[in-house]
């Protein structure tokens, strides 16, 4: 049944002009969050509209409330995406989702059955960095209580990795080929990381299954990009005004989107390139570029912007010192660590990112980007610091970013106001960040948080640089410290 909310749609709202009854569930997607709705599902919607595929999504949620997906089902699985540019808006109703399962209703068996059906070729994932249950060394975190519970009862998994392994085990037992697993999260070498975690889990339950996955399954890496802030009352209002109706599953995002995919699938796949994606043999240069330039500067603006009293990325861009520091961070401290993808000029890439950040119609909260820093800092800042320490080159902006994070995770800002820190390691970080001297805080976080790779945890030069940056933030104030980077 399709709810009638769409009957109020303004004429300008684009709708699926294809017969959705002719679509087949060939892909399951785990994580019906804001990003998937505005990215993979949009590429697929466009491709279906071009008559180039009949593959559609079954959405899978392993956690959280059921209301979003239940409501979506009641509305015939249709939802709205508003591209909110600096100058123009564009609204479309997306039709590429046609089914769902929620763990709370289907249970582990229902989820395993849903991903192991004959027709399923692909399982894609957007479950945030922490959803991969990785240890600091990159393999599966065998100490994670949820991983332990899944390993003790692999037939009834609750984690993403446990679920993927159970689905693959079912396919093997039924004599089917495996599905392709397509990670679309902001992790470095996301396909490789997912493969490693899945194989670690599989080896712990069944060596023969692990060997089969190793030989037969495919885990292409991807670089994914589109700024899609969490929805707020304000953005729901923007959507309602633009589209003509309120849509609880609707999304407001920037117009830009990019998807670079390693072309390594078990069998078929939609030709997403026809809708603007890029298939390539080597995604790594794109991933590193995006993670260090975009996400690295995002984290810089998130911690130092939040502590400086700025609510959104667009607000930080109104401060010339922040804008310059973010650009300099990209060009002077991140670009030198990168091998640019073919045909890409990293200076132009940085300019374009600053342009995207300046979009006043995208209210991307610094607080949102500051979440889960323990999972983000390594690929966004620490790997680049490793480069600079080896090269003997300066990295004052990266140091200020990390020092800003060290103050942020204490849970108290420089005015003494509490910060709502969201991070799987929040409790541990708070204790380490609340020491009585800059020296003890910096060395405690470097050595005991589990966030810093071994080669950095005991680095005396890094410790000295972070203490200096930390003291500059506390003594001069955040805005002055950012301004002094010039
Ligand atoms: P969101 O908060 O809207 O959705 C997160 C999704 O992950 C939800 O479906 C949630 O149920 C699921 N999830 C979270 N933790 C999980 C766990 N432990 N196990 C299983 N499922 C879990 O976040 P959003 O905006 O969709 O972003 C998700 C990820 O997508 C990001 O962390 C990032 O890696 C990637 N991404 C996001 C972009 C954005 O601008 N929002 C852009 C590029 C990539
Ligand atoms: C952001 C990203 O929340 C964050 O950590 O840096 O989600 C960012 O918006 C996307 O990667 C843009 O593609």
């Amino acid at each position: 049944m399709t709810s009638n909310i769409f009957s109020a749609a303004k004429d300008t709202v684009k709708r699926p002009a294809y017969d959705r009854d002719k679509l087949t569930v060939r892909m399951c997607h785990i994580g019906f969050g804001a990003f998937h709705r505005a990215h993979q599902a949009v590429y697929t919607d466009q491709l279906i509209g071009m008559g180039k595929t009949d593959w559609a999504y079954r959405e899978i949620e392993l956690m959280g409330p059921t209301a979003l997906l239940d409501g979506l089902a009641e509305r015939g699985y249709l939802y709205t995406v508003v591209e909110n540019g600096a100058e123009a808006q564009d609204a479309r109703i997306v039709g590429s989702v046609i089914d769902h399962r929620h763990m709370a209703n289907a249970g582990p068996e229902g989820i395993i059955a849903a991903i192991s059906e004959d027709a399923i070729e692909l399982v894609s994932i957007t479950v945030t960095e922490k959803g991969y249950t990785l240890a600091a060394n990159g393999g599966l975190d065998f100490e994670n209580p949820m991983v332990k519970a899944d390993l003790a009862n692999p037939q009834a998994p609750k984690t993403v990795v446990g679920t993927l392994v159970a689905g693959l085990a079912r396919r093997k037992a039924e004599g089917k080929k495996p599905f392709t697993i397509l990670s679309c999260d902001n992790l470095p070498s996301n396909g490789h990381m997912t493969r490693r975690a899945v194989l670690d889990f599989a080896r712990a339950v069944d060596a023969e299954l692990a060997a089969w996955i190793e030989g037969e399954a495919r885990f292409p890496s991807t670089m994914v990009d589109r700024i899609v802030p969490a929805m707020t009352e304000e953005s729901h209002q923007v959507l309602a005004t633009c589209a003509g109706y309120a849509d609880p599953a609707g999304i407001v995002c920037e117009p830009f989107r990019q998807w670079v995919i390693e072309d390594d699938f078990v069998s078929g796949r939609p030709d997403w390139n026809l809708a603007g994606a890029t298939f390539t043999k080597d995604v790594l240069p794109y991933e590193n570029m995006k993670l260090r330039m975009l996400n690295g500067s995002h984290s810089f603006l998130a911690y130092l912007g939040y502590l400086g009293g700025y609510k959104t990325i667009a607000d930080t861009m109104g401060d010339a010192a922040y804008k310059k520091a973010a650009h300099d961070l990209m060009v002077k401290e991140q670009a030198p660590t990168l091998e640019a993808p073919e045909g890409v000029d990293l200076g132009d890439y940085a300019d374009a990112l600053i342009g995207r950040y300046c979009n006043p119609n995208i209210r991307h909260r610094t607080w949102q980007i500051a979440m889960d820093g323990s999972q983000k800092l390594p690929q966004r800042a620490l790997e680049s610091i490793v480069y600079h320490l080896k090269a003997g080159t300066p990295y004052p902006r990266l140091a200020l970013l990390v020092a800003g994070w060290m103050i942020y995770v204490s849970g108290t800002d420089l005015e003494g106001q509490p910060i709502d820190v969201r991070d799987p390691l929040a409790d541990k970080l708070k204790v380490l960040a609340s020491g009585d001297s800059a020296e003890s805080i910096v060395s405690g976080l470097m050595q005991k948080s589990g966030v810093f790779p071994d080669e950095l945890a005991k680095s005396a030069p890094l410790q000295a640089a972070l203490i200096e940056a930390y003291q500059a933030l506390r003594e001069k104030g955040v805005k002055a410290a950012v301004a002094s980077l010039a």
Side-chain angles (χ1 to χ4, degrees), residues 118-187:
D118 280 357
I120 301 301
E121 300 270 4
L122 188 88
V123 178
S124 51
I125 319 170
T126 50
V127 290
T128 78
E129 294 84 345
K130 60 188 175 301
Y132 292 76
T133 51
L134 297 170
N137 69 5
L140 185 70
D141 183 3
F142 286 97
E143 298 305 315
N144 181 313
M146 288 191 65
V147 172
K148 283 187 180 174
D150 276 9
L151 285 169
N153 191 8
Q155 320 296 332
K158 299 220 168 65
T159 66
V160 175
V161 173
T163 299
L164 292 169
V165 172
L168 289 165
R170 177 73 53 88
R171 308 257 312 202
K172 179 172 180 285
E174 293 177 355
K176 297 174 189 162
K177 58 183 184 328
F179 39 73
T180 298
I181 296 174
L182 190 68
S183 166
C184 294
D185 275 293
N186 282 329
L187 287 164

Side-chain angles (χ1 to χ4, degrees), residues 35 39 129 186 224-229 254 256 258 290-291 294-296 298-299 356-357 364-365 368-371 376 380:
F35 180 55
H39 193 269
E129 294 84 345
N186 282 329
V224 287
D225 190 7
R226 176 167 243 187
I227 294 174
V228 188
E254 67 168 343
F256 180 90
Q258 188 175 11
K290 195 255 169 174
L291 287 170
L294 191 163
N295 297 113
H298 246 184
S299 289
R356 287 165 64 192
Y357 297 171
H364 203 182
R365 283 172 296 170
Q368 186 193 349
I369 300 167
M371 273 184 208
K376 295 173 174 175
R380 297 179 180 210

Side-chain angles (χ1 to χ4, degrees), residues 205-453:
V205 294
D206 176 351
E208 210 181 292
L209 170 66
W212 179 78
I213 296 173
E214 199 166 10
E216 305 294 321
R218 291 292 177 271
F219 300 78
S221 282
T222 62
M223 180 268 242
V224 287
D225 190 7
R226 176 167 243 187
I227 294 174
V228 188
M231 291 296 284
T232 58
E233 254 177 59
E234 194 187 344
S235 46
H236 273 295
Q237 193 53 51
V238 167
L239 185 145
T241 307
C242 176
Y245 52 87
D247 183 352
I251 293 291
V252 177
C253 62
E254 67 168 343
F256 180 90
R257 60 178 151 102
Q258 188 175 11
W259 196 7
V260 185
I261 310 163
E262 185 183 358
D263 201 1
D264 184 22
F265 289 73
V266 173
S267 47
R269 48 124 173 109
D271 290 331
W272 284 303
N273 52 314
L274 301 176
T278 305
F279 286 107
T280 178
K281 276 200 181 120
D282 188 11
V283 179
L284 200 60
Y286 291 94
E287 279 192 277
N288 284 341
M289 173 181 76
K290 195 255 169 174
L291 287 170
R292 292 184 196 170
M293 303 273 284
L294 191 163
N295 297 113
S297 61
H298 246 184
S299 289
F300 177 95
L301 295 167
Y303 296 114
L304 299 167
Y306 182 95
L307 294 171
Y310 294 119
K311 280 218 156 49
T312 69
I313 293 293
D315 292 346
T316 67
M317 290 293 103
D319 181 324
Y322 276 73
K323 190 171 176 180
K324 181 171 187 317
H327 192 268
D328 283 348
L329 169 70
M330 291 192 252
V331 173
K332 297 184 178 166
E333 299 185 27
Q334 301 286 38
T337 72
L338 296 165
E339 176 202 330
E342 215 182 309
V344 177
D345 179 288
L346 294 176
D348 293 348
Y349 186 72
D351 294 349
L353 290 177
I354 295 290
R356 287 165 64 192
Y357 297 171
C358 287
N359 180 347
N361 297 327
I362 294 298
R363 313 289 300 153
H364 203 182
R365 283 172 296 170
T366 48
W367 173 79
Q368 186 193 349
I369 300 167
M371 273 184 208
D372 293 346
S374 66
Q375 315 285 303
K376 295 173 174 175
L377 278 201
Q379 58 273 24
R380 297 179 180 210
L382 302 181
E383 285 173 10
S384 304
I385 291 179
V386 170
Y387 168 95
H388 288 294
L389 287 173
K390 283 190 190 141
T393 40
Y395 54 92
R397 295 161 192 87
L398 288 164
L400 204 68
L401 184 177
V402 177
W405 169 76
M406 289 178 160
I407 292 176
Y408 185 91
V409 296
S410 73
T412 307
D413 73 13
L414 295 174
E415 265 76 57
Q417 296 304 312
I419 305 173
D420 179 7
V421 179
R422 304 280 175 95
D423 192 297
L425 301 185
D427 293 344
K428 182 181 180 182
L429 296 174
K430 185 173 181 174
V431 172
L432 292 169
S434 306
D436 47 17
S437 69
E439 288 76 8
S440 66
I441 290 168
V442 168
S443 64
L445 282 163
M446 282 175 67
Q447 292 168 25
K448 296 189 197 139
S449 64
V451 174
F452 290 69

